[in-house]
Amino acid sequence: MSVAQTLATTARPPERRGGCPTLATPMETGDGLLARLRPVAPGYAPKAWLRLATLSQMHGNGLLDVTARGNLQFRGLTRDSAARLAQDLADAGLHSHTGLAIETPPLAGLDPSEIADGRPLADALRSAVMAEGDALRLAPKLAVVVDGRGLLNLSGQVADIRLDAVRRDGAVLWRIGLAGDALSAHALAEVPQSEAVAAVLQLLSALTARGPAARGRDLDPAALARSDTLPPPQAIPSPAPVGFLTAGGLAVQGVRLPFGRIAADALITWLDGLERLGASEVRLAPGHALLVLGIAPERAVEAAALAQAAGLIVDPADPRNHIVACPGQRGCGSGLIDPRALTDLLVTTAPALLDGSLTLHLSGCGKGCAHPAAAPLGLTGTAGGIALVVAGRAGDAPVAVLAPADLGPALSRLSLRLRAGSDSAATQITQLGPDGLRALIKDET
């Protein structure tokens, strides 16, 4: 089969389901039902992960996903097996959060470089939301981030409501933001922790008043802001969760799952090796990543070789770190293209795009599940072909739409142009602008 045939789009439109899958409400996909675990525990010992892998084989197709926001998904389930999976997870003490998604950094409470441990605030907010019961009617995909900052912070993660720790005159305050990441969210106030839960509940009540589909972007920040003189936001850089990372006395090994997925057999082999190396815990992390705790730095080379043998990404310089892709046709009923084939095409025909200066988003359809935020450059499957989106979300208006057979030559032209320049790929694409990029892609120069 040619690359063009592999990439060929289908005519069915993407199906927007309006909610996220859970253990109790799995979602139909291209390979059966999908159920999502949002772990209550910050991480699991290797033996617990072995149980997760075994359950994925018992009840599903043995494929596990780590999502862009750091949750775990079981694939290939049926209605009956999904119910059995949920029961087996509960029996093993592997519980899942339900309700409003409230996210904290993966190393919260362990990271000596964080401004504050956001977990107590997140737990207090969960309890307060549960106490409100039916008084709050919130959109299924509504997300709240409680970011204490630190090494692997959530500055770049988009949320409907943000709580970002800041230091002001020796005190820790929580900066409340609406609809965005740490830089783009509309800042409403900076409050002490004792006032933060009440402030968020006020925003959730405002969302409820606007209807069960309302998101943070639907609120008027000017009407909700407590001050118009807040300091400008500061994003704290966060490295890719790949390689051996250290903060103070904390050392972790970060690995990424190619396309966010791993087969249970490979996971089991990796976990067996991790135990021999002394690993104590494995944590889910945003960016389709896993963080391993307990491995001594002097065993870093062994740990990297072990992960690489399992097909995991271990090198921060791996070009796949700059590609975000969904399962596409291989695992989603809405997928119109195969992002894996597209990745292979990018690596072979457009290496200049993978210089690390930008993130490439490859989406099987316009929903953009793997990267809900805007990306510098994206390729999206549509009924009319493969859409090239610049500085936008997967479903935004494209600069150009290409037939699958034309994509390889178009990417090759773009790569040659970028190689001839002295600036980064991101800078040159900005300089070209939409019109220049369209002319280059369409070979109209």
Side-chain angles (χ1 to χ4, degrees), residues 232-368:
Q234 291 185 333
I236 300 176
S238 183
V242 180
F244 257 80
L245 307 167
T246 58
L250 178 68
V252 299
Q253 183 202 25
V255 299
R256 260 191 174 139
L257 281 63
F259 303 98
R261 179 172 298 176
I262 189 169
D265 287 342
L267 179 59
I268 290 169
T269 300
W270 181 56
L271 292 165
D272 286 339
L274 286 182
E275 284 201 295
R276 291 194 299 273
L277 291 178
S280 58
E281 185 180 338
V282 179
R283 294 191 172 196
L284 292 157
H288 312 284
L290 296 169
L291 305 177
V292 184
L293 282 66
I295 295 179
E298 58 267 23
R299 307 200 75 173
V301 173
E302 291 176 80
L306 180 69
Q308 196 166 24
L312 298 167
I313 298 173
V314 300
D315 184 357
D318 192 311
R320 291 174 295 174
N321 285 317
H322 309 296
I323 298 175
V324 179
C326 68
Q329 288 174 325
R330 298 193 184 201
C332 178
S334 297
L336 302 174
I337 59 172
D338 180 2
R340 293 195 181 199
L342 192 49
T343 296
D344 294 339
L345 186 66
L346 279 163
V347 171
T348 56
T349 65
L353 277 171
L354 305 176
D355 65 351
S357 65
L358 54 79
T359 296
L360 285 162
H361 180 199
L362 313 182
S363 185
C365 72
K367 293 187 298 178

Side-chain angles (χ1 to χ4, degrees), residues 60-80:
N61 59 12
L63 294 176
L64 288 158
D65 295 342
V66 175
T67 70
R69 302 185 84 98
N71 296 307
L72 187 67
Q73 295 184 157
F74 297 82
R75 306 193 69 94
L77 304 168
T78 65
R79 291 291 172 189
D80 288 342

Side-chain angles (χ1 to χ4, degrees), residues 45-68:
K47 288 190 182 303
W49 274 97
L50 285 169
R51 180 63 176 156
L52 291 168
T54 301
L55 289 176
S56 77
Q57 294 173 316
M58 289 174 56
H59 300 304
N61 59 12
L63 294 176
L64 288 158
D65 295 342
V66 175
T67 70

Side-chain angles (χ1 to χ4, degrees), residues 17-29 33-39 67 71-75 77-79 81-83 85-87 89 95-101 139-141:
R17 298 175 176 88
C20 294
T22 67
L23 293 177
T25 56
M27 181 179 74
E28 186 70 49
T29 64
L33 295 179
L34 177 150
R36 181 176 296 170
L37 174 69
R38 290 162 46 198
T67 70
N71 296 307
L72 187 67
Q73 295 184 157
F74 297 82
R75 306 193 69 94
L77 304 168
T78 65
R79 291 291 172 189
S81 71
L85 169 67
Q87 186 59 56
L89 288 170
H95 300 294
S96 181
H97 282 302
T98 58
L100 177 64
K141 294 189 177 184

Side-chain angles (χ1 to χ4, degrees), residues 41-433:
Y44 297 129
K47 288 190 182 303
W49 274 97
L50 285 169
R51 180 63 176 156
L52 291 168
T54 301
L55 289 176
S56 77
Q57 294 173 316
M58 289 174 56
H59 300 304
N61 59 12
L63 294 176
L64 288 158
D65 295 342
V66 175
T67 70
R69 302 185 84 98
N71 296 307
L72 187 67
Q73 295 184 157
F74 297 82
R75 306 193 69 94
L77 304 168
T78 65
R79 291 291 172 189
D80 288 342
S81 71
R84 293 194 298 271
L85 169 67
Q87 186 59 56
D88 284 348
L89 288 170
D91 291 344
L94 304 172
H95 300 294
S96 181
H97 282 302
T98 58
L100 177 64
I102 302 173
E103 301 161 351
T104 56
L107 297 176
L110 291 179
D111 183 355
S113 69
E114 65 185 354
I115 295 173
D117 179 0
R119 295 174 305 163
L121 177 53
D123 290 341
L125 183 55
R126 286 191 189 95
S127 297
V129 170
M130 289 182 63
E132 291 290 316
D134 292 339
L136 294 177
R137 297 180 63 82
L138 304 172
K141 294 189 177 184
L142 197 77
V144 177
V145 160
V146 182
D147 189 1
R149 304 302 185 99
L151 177 66
L152 295 178
N153 61 73
L154 302 182
S155 288
Q157 192 145 301
V158 173
D160 296 276
I161 300 171
R162 296 190 62 89
L163 291 163
D164 292 296
V166 295
R167 287 194 181 95
R168 301 287 184 231
D169 299 324
V172 173
L173 300 176
W174 292 91
R175 185 183 182 95
I176 302 174
L178 195 63
D181 59 23
L183 288 178
S184 64
H186 301 281
L188 305 181
E190 290 182 355
V191 301
Q193 185 161 323
S194 59
E195 300 177 18
V197 170
V200 174
L201 286 178
Q202 182 183 9
L203 294 175
L204 296 178
S205 295
L207 287 166
T208 297
R210 291 190 66 88
R215 304 293 297 272
R217 60 181 174 267
D218 298 317
L219 297 180
D220 180 4
L224 295 166
R226 300 188 184 185
S227 172
D228 56 3
T229 59
L230 290 174
Q234 291 185 333
I236 300 176
S238 183
V242 180
F244 257 80
L245 307 167
T246 58
L250 178 68
V252 299
Q253 183 202 25
V255 299
R256 260 191 174 139
L257 281 63
F259 303 98
R261 179 172 298 176
I262 189 169
D265 287 342
L267 179 59
I268 290 169
T269 300
W270 181 56
L271 292 165
D272 286 339
L274 286 182
E275 284 201 295
R276 291 194 299 273
L277 291 178
S280 58
E281 185 180 338
V282 179
R283 294 191 172 196
L284 292 157
H288 312 284
L290 296 169
L291 305 177
V292 184
L293 282 66
I295 295 179
E298 58 267 23
R299 307 200 75 173
V301 173
E302 291 176 80
L306 180 69
Q308 196 166 24
L312 298 167
I313 298 173
V314 300
D315 184 357
D318 192 311
R320 291 174 295 174
N321 285 317
H322 309 296
I323 298 175
V324 179
C326 68
Q329 288 174 325
R330 298 193 184 201
C332 178
S334 297
L336 302 174
I337 59 172
D338 180 2
R340 293 195 181 199
L342 192 49
T343 296
D344 294 339
L345 186 66
L346 279 163
V347 171
T348 56
T349 65
L353 277 171
L354 305 176
D355 65 351
S357 65
L358 54 79
T359 296
L360 285 162
H361 180 199
L362 313 182
S363 185
C365 72
K367 293 187 298 178
C369 299
H371 190 75
L377 193 63
L379 292 167
T380 301
T382 73
I386 299 173
L388 178 71
V389 179
V390 178
R393 296 177 174 86
D396 287 349
V399 167
V401 178
L402 298 167
D406 296 333
L407 184 61
L411 290 173
S412 181
R413 285 193 296 275
L414 176 58
S415 187
L416 287 172
R417 170 66 177 270
L418 297 177
R419 286 178 61 185
S422 57
D423 292 320
S424 68
T427 298
Q428 291 188 68
I429 287 173
T430 300
Q431 292 169 345
L432 279 169

